[in-house]
Amino acid sequence: MVSVMLGPPLGAAPIPVRFAEGLTHGFLSLRSLEGETLGYGELLQVPRKEGIESRLVLRFRDGSLHDEKAIFTQNKFFTLQRYTLVQNGPSFPRALEVSLQRDTGQYSIKYREGKDGREEHRTEKLELPPDLYNGMLAMLLKNLRPKEKETVHIVAFTPKPWLVKMLIVPDGNEAVQVGDSERRAIRFMVKPDLGWLKLFASLLGKEVPNYYFWILGGESPAFLKFQGPLDPEGPVLRIELSSPRWPGLPGQKSQ
């Protein structure tokens, strides 16, 4: 494959801030579509001098790791400033370390195909659109109105970089039980618009899956669930909110 080195798309506009982000620490479960527990994770947000640091860490039972960090500002609009990604272990097709810097447009990739492959490294520059949101999709959806459609971009590393347009479409709502109360969760579909790249995917016999997010709306929107791949070549997984367990208490069975 070759990497896409395109300038910023015409009309690419950042997402305005309706609900500012801040200090957060949430716990997550990672499951297959069949419901098998594959691992656990944490979502952390900490205000830093350069902006809000948002970090998603997923630890698989097979020893794999997904560690994704986005540092962004939220002065009227959400703006990604810096992005890093680490993936390794048997749940991923390659060991991968990525960093992306907005002010210079420079990215760095270090990867190794398979367990015994040779480590490769490259550092180059990309022209980044103002609506680039790697590692930020869930928080952006909290800022969209229930029936609002939007288009943003991410850089997909396969391991070479592809600038991909992501079409965000409200996809109905679902009932969710919170204690004895029933709430309604807004379901968003995020569809990669690959353009002519879709032809390459079809020729390789690969389907490009959509991503789904469930967001609790209202005056204080909250992320509830995600469904999609963590790697463009990986399986579709589910990430959901989880609660801490207290060992030794009745009804607190370990998984």
Side-chain angles (χ1 to χ4, degrees):
M1 291 186 177
V2 296
S3 56
V4 178
M5 301 295 183
L6 300 178
L10 295 176
I15 302 297
V17 177
R18 294 180 61 221
F19 302 98
E21 298 291 324
L23 190 65
T24 299
H25 194 159
F27 299 94
L28 306 166
S29 62
L30 176 67
R31 294 186 172 90
S32 68
L33 290 183
E34 293 72 35
E36 178 187 1
T37 300
L38 303 176
Y40 298 92
E42 296 178 71
L43 177 63
L44 306 101
Q45 281 190 3
V46 181
R48 305 290 190 193
K49 184 177 180 180
E50 55 186 319
I52 303 294
E53 177 184 293
S54 180
R55 187 179 182 189
L56 171 65
V57 183
L58 299 171
R59 294 181 174 87
F60 291 67
R61 285 180 163 175
D62 66 4
S64 300
L65 172 70
H66 174 97
D67 189 345
E68 186 175 30
K69 184 189 298 181
I71 296 179
F72 63 93
T73 52
Q74 48 185 352
N75 303 320
K76 295 185 179 180
F77 298 93
F78 289 103
T79 305
L80 177 67
Q81 301 296 339
R82 184 154 52 92
Y83 175 75
T84 61
L85 173 65
V86 175
Q87 290 179 337
N88 56 53
S91 289
F92 298 102
R94 63 184 64 84
L96 179 70
E97 293 184 27
V98 168
S99 66
L100 181 65
Q101 190 78 28
R102 170 171 290 283
D103 57 357
T104 62
Q106 182 169 297
Y107 71 87
S108 176
I109 302 175
K110 184 190 299 183
Y111 66 95
R112 185 181 67 251
E113 300 283 356
K115 184 177 180 180
D116 302 318
R118 186 179 67 177
E119 185 173 276
E120 304 284 348
H121 182 266
R122 68 165 58 207
T123 299
E124 294 180 6
K125 288 188 176 182
L126 288 170
E127 290 190 55
L128 303 177
D131 65 346
L132 185 74
Y133 287 123
N134 283 59
M136 296 180 60
L137 289 179
M139 67 187 73
L140 295 181
L141 297 179
K142 294 190 294 183
N143 286 264
L144 298 184
R145 302 185 188 279
K147 296 184 180 180
E148 184 178 2
K149 298 180 181 180
E150 193 55 81
T151 301
V152 299
H153 290 83
I154 66 167
V155 176
F157 295 94
T158 62
K160 296 180 181 180
W162 300 87
L163 185 62
V164 180
K165 181 189 296 184
M166 308 296 281
L167 308 178
I168 301 173
V169 181
D171 193 41
N173 57 73
E174 294 181 12
V176 58
Q177 199 77 20
V178 182
D180 295 329
S181 172
E182 183 177 288
R183 310 286 183 89
R184 304 302 296 183
I186 305 168
R187 184 178 62 247
F188 288 94
M189 179 178 68
V190 182
K191 183 178 180 64
D193 182 5
L194 300 181
W196 58 271
L197 296 179
K198 187 174 182 180
L199 175 61
F200 279 109
S202 63
L203 291 176
L204 293 173
K206 296 182 178 180
E207 291 292 331
V208 180
N210 297 325
Y211 301 83
Y212 293 90
F213 292 82
W214 284 259
I215 302 294
L216 187 67
E219 295 182 350
S220 181
F223 163 81
L224 296 179
K225 185 169 68 170
F226 162 83
Q227 179 176 302
L230 295 173
D231 179 273
E233 300 174 33
V236 175
L237 304 172
R238 285 187 181 138
I239 300 173
E240 300 174 281
L241 291 178
S242 181
S243 298
R245 295 179 177 273
W246 302 95
L249 290 182
Q252 299 291 304
K253 297 179 181 179
S254 59
Q255 296 187 24

